[in-house]
Amino acid sequence: MIAGVRSRQLAEVESLGVFQAVALGDETAIAGFDALDGAADTIGGEIAAKLIGKVRAGGRFAYASILSDDASARNPTVKTSRVFVRPDPTKIREFADDIRDGKFILPISQRLPLREAAAAQELMQKGRAGKIVLLP
């Protein structure tokens, strides 16, 4: 598995035992990929367009965010599908317990007042933020 993350997260994700970690903003690294059997994207936009172009003919591309029409047209032999999530209250409770017990650390880059939700959204769209918690 190749994990694509922000450059500041490279050391952390490599400690998880992935085959390879790459900074999604590193044009050279992405360009250097051999054809991939498949890719899953949760970011959308330019990143999705770059990744779908690296999937081999007949491969699969799944996305959870936004995929522009021109991104699909760049690699028409790739089967694309949108991924949807169904909430499972028992898993959410399990996840919350793991965070509470220190088994899983959720990296939070910023805490902002709820009244700054628009600013938080702008940061996320620019790709300049990690996890943001909005405080009421």
XYZ file of all heavy atoms in Angstrom, residues 64-131:
528
model
N -14.079 9.618 -2.582
C -15.077 9.934 -1.576
C -15.465 11.401 -1.609
O -16.424 11.804 -0.983
C -14.538 9.588 -0.188
N -14.740 12.186 -2.358
C -14.961 13.624 -2.353
C -15.531 14.087 -3.684
O -16.669 13.806 -3.997
C -13.631 14.323 -2.048
O -13.814 15.703 -1.936
N -14.719 14.744 -4.477
C -15.158 15.318 -5.747
C -14.250 14.812 -6.860
O -13.035 14.809 -6.725
C -15.072 16.855 -5.687
C -15.972 17.400 -4.579
C -15.453 17.474 -7.021
C -15.715 18.853 -4.255
N -14.862 14.410 -7.961
C -14.099 14.009 -9.139
C -14.648 14.785 -10.327
O -15.807 14.613 -10.700
C -14.211 12.502 -9.389
C -13.362 11.957 -10.522
C -11.878 12.121 -10.214
C -13.679 10.512 -10.782
N -13.818 15.635 -10.876
C -14.280 16.455 -12.001
C -14.443 15.594 -13.253
O -13.824 14.543 -13.388
C -13.293 17.588 -12.269
O -12.054 17.047 -12.692
N -15.286 16.054 -14.162
C -15.512 15.331 -15.411
C -14.226 15.175 -16.204
O -13.974 14.133 -16.793
C -16.561 16.047 -16.271
C -17.942 15.986 -15.636
O -18.187 15.068 -14.840
O -18.759 16.866 -15.943
N -13.395 16.214 -16.207
C -12.155 16.131 -16.986
C -11.165 15.147 -16.371
O -10.333 14.586 -17.064
C -11.528 17.511 -17.196
C -11.012 18.138 -15.916
O -11.685 18.018 -14.870
O -9.934 18.762 -15.965
N -11.253 14.891 -15.055
C -10.361 13.908 -14.432
C -10.663 12.519 -14.982
O -9.759 11.770 -15.329
C -10.504 13.927 -12.915
N -11.943 12.174 -15.081
C -12.327 10.873 -15.635
C -11.907 10.759 -17.093
O -11.486 9.697 -17.547
C -13.836 10.677 -15.540
O -14.233 10.600 -14.205
N -12.008 11.849 -17.821
C -11.660 11.844 -19.244
C -10.162 11.637 -19.470
O -9.751 11.149 -20.520
C -12.099 13.158 -19.892
N -9.342 11.951 -18.479
C -7.885 11.774 -18.617
C -7.495 10.307 -18.707
O -6.437 9.976 -19.212
C -7.154 12.409 -17.431
C -7.209 13.895 -17.431
C -6.456 14.446 -16.260
N -6.701 15.873 -16.139
C -6.009 16.670 -15.376
N -5.013 16.205 -14.651
N -6.294 17.946 -15.312
N -8.323 9.444 -18.160
C -8.005 8.022 -18.133
C -9.316 7.230 -18.267
O -9.780 6.616 -17.312
C -7.271 7.679 -16.827
C -6.445 6.432 -16.945
O -6.632 5.637 -17.860
N -5.540 6.238 -16.010
N -9.925 7.248 -19.453
C -11.259 6.670 -19.636
C -11.342 5.152 -19.476
O -12.437 4.610 -19.335
C -11.641 7.099 -21.053
C -10.356 7.395 -21.739
C -9.400 7.844 -20.679
N -10.215 4.449 -19.480
C -10.265 2.989 -19.332
C -10.335 2.564 -17.871
O -10.497 1.379 -17.581
C -9.033 2.332 -19.976
O -7.866 2.752 -19.271
C -8.928 2.696 -21.444
N -10.230 3.519 -16.958
C -10.268 3.219 -15.524
C -11.720 3.236 -15.044
O -12.483 4.136 -15.376
C -9.428 4.255 -14.739
C -9.634 4.098 -13.248
C -7.967 4.117 -15.094
N -12.091 2.203 -14.288
C -13.435 2.148 -13.731
C -13.460 3.004 -12.466
O -12.695 2.772 -11.538
C -13.821 0.719 -13.399
C -15.216 0.616 -12.810
C -15.661 -0.818 -12.738
C -16.936 -0.995 -11.989
N -18.108 -0.411 -12.478
N -14.311 4.023 -12.465
C -14.404 4.906 -11.305
C -15.688 4.625 -10.536
O -16.710 4.256 -11.113
C -14.389 6.397 -11.714
O -15.503 6.653 -12.550
C -13.109 6.758 -12.426
N -15.607 4.789 -9.228
C -16.800 4.634 -8.404
C -16.687 5.539 -7.188
O -15.591 5.770 -6.677
C -16.999 3.180 -7.976
O -15.859 2.680 -7.346
N -17.822 6.034 -6.775
C -17.866 6.895 -5.600
C -18.098 6.027 -4.379
O -18.895 5.095 -4.398
C -18.989 7.914 -5.749
C -19.063 8.872 -4.585
C -19.059 10.295 -5.042
N -18.837 11.183 -3.937
C -19.602 12.208 -3.663
N -20.614 12.501 -4.431
N -19.330 12.977 -2.628
N -17.397 6.328 -3.309
C -17.495 5.574 -2.065
C -18.345 6.372 -1.082
O -18.105 7.558 -0.873
C -16.092 5.328 -1.465
C -16.186 4.582 -0.155
C -15.217 4.585 -2.455
N -19.336 5.713 -0.520
C -20.190 6.346 0.481
C -20.003 5.619 1.810
O -19.698 4.436 1.844
C -21.657 6.280 0.069
C -21.966 7.118 -1.135
C -21.962 6.555 -2.401
C -22.233 8.471 -1.007
C -22.236 7.322 -3.518
C -22.510 9.244 -2.119
C -22.507 8.668 -3.383
N -20.219 6.327 2.879
C -20.051 5.766 4.214
C -21.405 5.688 4.895
O -22.221 6.600 4.778
C -19.098 6.651 5.050
C -18.961 6.113 6.457
C -17.749 6.760 4.382
N -21.620 4.595 5.581
C -22.815 4.450 6.404
C -22.371 4.427 7.866
O -21.547 3.591 8.244
C -23.537 3.152 6.062
C -24.104 3.182 4.681
C -25.129 2.075 4.502
N -25.725 2.218 3.195
C -25.482 1.395 2.195
N -24.702 0.359 2.349
N -26.065 1.588 1.028
N -22.888 5.339 8.672
C -22.468 5.371 10.073
C -22.884 4.107 10.830
O -23.955 3.572 10.599
C -23.159 6.608 10.642
C -24.142 7.047 9.635
C -23.854 6.356 8.339
N -21.996 3.652 11.670
C -22.256 2.489 12.512
C -21.986 2.924 13.956
O -20.821 3.072 14.346
C -21.333 1.346 12.099
C -21.494 0.104 12.958
O -22.112 0.183 14.045
O -20.986 -0.955 12.543
N -23.029 3.133 14.751
C -22.849 3.653 16.106
C -21.914 2.816 16.968
O -21.164 3.356 17.779
C -24.265 3.664 16.694
C -25.174 3.613 15.522
C -24.433 2.931 14.418
N -21.900 1.500 16.793
C -21.013 0.668 17.618
C -19.551 0.917 17.264
O -18.690 0.934 18.136
C -21.342 -0.833 17.461
O -21.187 -1.220 16.093
C -22.754 -1.137 17.918
N -19.263 1.127 15.971
C -17.881 1.414 15.558
C -17.449 2.801 16.014
O -16.304 3.011 16.399
C -17.731 1.289 14.037
C -17.797 -0.133 13.556
C -16.613 -0.897 14.082
C -16.677 -2.347 13.694
N -15.729 -3.176 14.414
N -18.379 3.740 15.974
C -18.059 5.096 16.437
C -17.720 5.065 17.925
O -16.758 5.683 18.366
C -19.227 6.069 16.137
C -19.340 6.235 14.612
C -19.016 7.416 16.822
C -20.567 6.992 14.160
N -18.480 4.303 18.693
C -18.208 4.176 20.136
C -16.840 3.521 20.362
O -16.062 3.947 21.209
C -19.323 3.326 20.784
C -19.122 3.007 22.244
C -19.479 4.165 23.150
N -18.283 4.893 23.535
C -18.265 6.146 23.947
N -19.365 6.840 24.042
N -17.151 6.737 24.279
N -16.566 2.469 19.596
C -15.275 1.773 19.684
C -14.124 2.735 19.372
O -13.108 2.763 20.064
C -15.286 0.641 18.646
C -14.619 -0.629 19.060
C -14.809 -1.684 17.972
O -15.930 -2.215 17.836
O -13.820 -1.964 17.272
N -14.302 3.502 18.320
C -13.297 4.474 17.900
C -13.083 5.530 18.996
O -11.952 5.856 19.343
C -13.756 5.124 16.590
C -12.743 5.994 15.928
C -11.512 5.493 15.548
C -13.026 7.319 15.654
C -10.586 6.292 14.919
C -12.101 8.130 15.028
C -10.875 7.614 14.661
N -14.185 6.040 19.567
C -14.082 7.033 20.632
C -13.358 6.446 21.846
O -12.526 7.121 22.467
C -15.473 7.532 21.019
N -13.655 5.207 22.186
C -12.977 4.555 23.307
C -11.487 4.411 23.038
O -10.658 4.612 23.930
C -13.594 3.175 23.582
C -15.001 3.255 24.165
O -15.409 4.353 24.618
O -15.700 2.219 24.147
N -11.121 4.046 21.808
C -9.702 3.912 21.455
C -8.974 5.244 21.571
O -7.823 5.298 22.027
C -9.540 3.357 20.040
C -9.859 1.869 19.945
O -9.969 1.221 21.005
O -9.994 1.370 18.819
N -9.632 6.320 21.163
C -9.018 7.645 21.302
C -8.854 7.976 22.779
O -7.784 8.404 23.219
C -9.859 8.723 20.578
C -9.764 8.518 19.061
C -9.400 10.129 20.959
C -10.713 9.391 18.255
N -9.906 7.761 23.553
C -9.858 8.033 24.997
C -8.741 7.243 25.678
O -8.024 7.766 26.528
C -11.210 7.666 25.627
C -11.261 7.915 27.139
C -12.378 7.142 27.816
N -12.160 5.711 27.644
C -13.132 4.815 27.513
N -14.386 5.178 27.533
N -12.852 3.532 27.349
N -8.566 5.978 25.280
C -7.588 5.102 25.920
C -6.181 5.252 25.351
O -5.277 4.515 25.740
C -8.047 3.645 25.796
C -9.370 3.388 26.511
O -9.755 4.204 27.383
O -10.036 2.384 26.183
N -5.993 6.156 24.405
C -4.669 6.392 23.837
C -4.223 5.342 22.835
O -3.059 5.301 22.458
N -5.122 4.477 22.369
C -4.776 3.460 21.378
C -4.735 4.056 19.978
O -4.149 3.483 19.071
C -5.792 2.309 21.400
C -5.800 1.527 22.684
C -6.872 0.458 22.634
C -7.011 -0.257 23.953
N -8.147 -1.182 23.939
N -5.404 5.166 19.806
C -5.426 5.853 18.515
C -5.298 7.339 18.792
O -6.025 7.882 19.617
C -6.741 5.566 17.780
C -6.835 6.247 16.450
C -6.283 5.664 15.324
C -7.451 7.479 16.318
C -6.350 6.294 14.090
C -7.523 8.108 15.094
C -6.974 7.520 13.981
N -4.363 7.967 18.112
C -4.169 9.402 18.304
C -4.667 10.124 17.067
O -4.230 9.848 15.952
C -2.686 9.726 18.559
C -2.252 9.039 19.859
C -2.464 11.230 18.621
C -0.779 9.085 20.118
N -5.600 11.005 17.276
C -6.160 11.796 16.191
C -5.400 13.121 16.140
O -5.526 13.938 17.045
C -7.652 12.033 16.439
C -8.435 12.711 15.352
C -8.404 11.871 14.070
C -9.870 12.924 15.779
N -4.578 13.326 15.101
C -3.782 14.562 15.048
C -4.657 15.766 14.715
O -5.268 15.817 13.658
C -2.769 14.281 13.934
C -3.409 13.237 13.090
C -4.330 12.456 13.974
N -4.727 16.684 15.647
C -5.536 17.896 15.454
C -4.577 19.055 15.241
O -3.703 19.318 16.061
C -6.436 18.152 16.679
C -7.424 16.987 16.831
C -7.155 19.492 16.556
C -8.200 17.009 18.117
N -4.740 19.727 14.107
C -3.835 20.831 13.802
C -4.300 22.147 14.403
O -3.482 22.992 14.740
C -3.657 20.981 12.294
O -4.878 21.359 11.706
N -5.623 22.317 14.512
C -6.137 23.581 15.039
C -7.463 23.368 15.748
O -8.220 22.474 15.406
C -6.393 24.579 13.900
C -5.150 25.009 13.173
C -5.479 26.057 12.125
O -6.036 27.096 12.437
N -5.137 25.763 10.884
N -7.717 24.240 16.705
C -9.020 24.319 17.360
C -9.504 25.737 17.135
O -8.813 26.687 17.490
C -8.888 24.012 18.850
C -8.588 22.556 19.136
C -8.263 22.337 20.628
N -8.118 20.938 20.937
C -7.028 20.209 20.697
N -5.976 20.763 20.136
N -6.974 18.937 21.015
N -10.684 25.866 16.538
C -11.222 27.183 16.219
C -12.628 27.320 16.787
O -13.365 26.340 16.863
C -11.291 27.391 14.701
C -9.973 27.387 13.936
C -10.228 27.415 12.431
C -9.119 28.574 14.339
N -13.013 28.554 17.147
C -14.394 28.744 17.585
C -15.358 28.461 16.427
O -15.018 28.700 15.266
C -14.455 30.218 17.984
C -13.105 30.789 17.799
C -12.225 29.762 17.192
N -16.534 27.981 16.756
C -17.525 27.639 15.750
C -17.830 28.822 14.830
O -18.041 28.646 13.636
C -18.809 27.147 16.429
C -19.929 26.671 15.523
C -19.457 25.536 14.625
C -21.115 26.232 16.364
N -17.757 30.031 15.360
C -18.052 31.209 14.544
C -17.033 31.388 13.416
O -17.248 32.142 12.492
C -18.133 32.460 15.409
C -16.822 32.890 16.026
C -16.979 34.145 16.901
N -15.771 34.414 17.633
C -15.421 33.865 18.788
N -16.239 33.018 19.384
N -14.276 34.167 19.371
N -15.891 30.657 13.472
C -14.873 30.726 12.426
C -14.941 29.525 11.484
O -13.958 29.169 10.831
C -13.488 30.846 13.055
C -13.281 32.166 13.783
C -11.885 32.312 14.353
O -10.929 31.766 13.764
O -11.760 32.984 15.393
N -16.118 28.912 11.393
C -16.292 27.738 10.528
C -15.972 28.058 9.067
O -15.385 27.230 8.362
C -17.705 27.190 10.657
N -16.334 29.240 8.611
C -16.046 29.616 7.221
C -14.535 29.671 6.980
O -14.044 29.192 5.953
C -16.692 30.955 6.882
N -13.793 30.209 7.925
C -12.330 30.269 7.794
C -11.735 28.863 7.808
O -10.807 28.558 7.051
C -11.726 31.112 8.918
N -12.293 27.985 8.646
C -11.822 26.597 8.696
C -12.064 25.907 7.361
O -11.202 25.180 6.861
C -12.535 25.841 9.820
N -13.220 26.145 6.765
C -13.537 25.561 5.466
C -12.553 26.041 4.402
O -12.088 25.263 3.577
C -14.975 25.910 5.066
C -15.402 25.335 3.744
C -15.501 23.818 3.759
O -15.763 23.218 4.783
N -15.275 23.199 2.625
N -12.227 27.320 4.423
C -11.262 27.859 3.458
C -9.898 27.196 3.623
O -9.251 26.846 2.638
C -11.123 29.376 3.624
C -12.275 30.153 3.039
C -12.069 31.654 3.173
O -10.912 32.117 3.035
O -13.069 32.354 3.420
N -9.458 27.025 4.858
C -8.179 26.354 5.107
C -8.193 24.936 4.553
O -7.239 24.487 3.925
C -7.873 26.312 6.605
C -7.487 27.621 7.261
C -7.463 27.465 8.779
C -6.126 28.085 6.755
N -9.285 24.226 4.776
C -9.391 22.846 4.304
C -9.370 22.801 2.774
O -8.710 21.959 2.185
C -10.669 22.192 4.832
C -10.720 22.041 6.338
S -9.449 20.971 7.008
C -10.050 19.396 6.484
N -10.097 23.705 2.130
C -10.155 23.713 0.666
C -8.806 24.037 0.051
O -8.487 23.556 -1.028
C -11.218 24.698 0.182
C -12.614 24.186 0.429
C -13.683 25.190 0.050
O -13.494 26.386 0.128
N -14.834 24.674 -0.352
N -8.007 24.823 0.743
C -6.674 25.166 0.239
C -5.664 24.064 0.552
O -4.527 24.127 0.113
C -6.207 26.487 0.845
C -6.994 27.684 0.356
C -6.523 28.949 1.034
C -7.352 30.138 0.582
N -7.005 31.350 1.338
N -6.089 23.075 1.340
C -5.189 21.979 1.685
C -4.129 22.374 2.683
O -3.111 21.732 2.807
N -4.366 23.430 3.418
C -3.349 23.926 4.338
C -3.641 23.580 5.788
O -3.031 24.108 6.689
C -3.223 25.438 4.187
C -2.727 25.803 2.818
C -2.109 27.165 2.808
N -1.543 27.407 1.489
C -2.060 28.237 0.610
N -3.125 28.922 0.900
N -1.496 28.386 -0.565
N -4.616 22.728 5.999
C -4.984 22.400 7.368
C -5.027 20.890 7.541
O -5.293 20.164 6.606
C -6.350 22.998 7.689
N -4.760 20.467 8.751
C -4.966 19.066 9.088
C -6.373 18.958 9.642
O -7.292 19.606 9.154
N -6.530 18.192 10.688
C -7.838 18.067 11.322
C -8.115 19.353 12.125
O -7.270 19.844 12.847
C -7.867 16.876 12.285
C -7.480 15.568 11.638
C -8.546 15.090 10.683
C -8.235 13.731 10.143
N -7.503 13.700 8.909
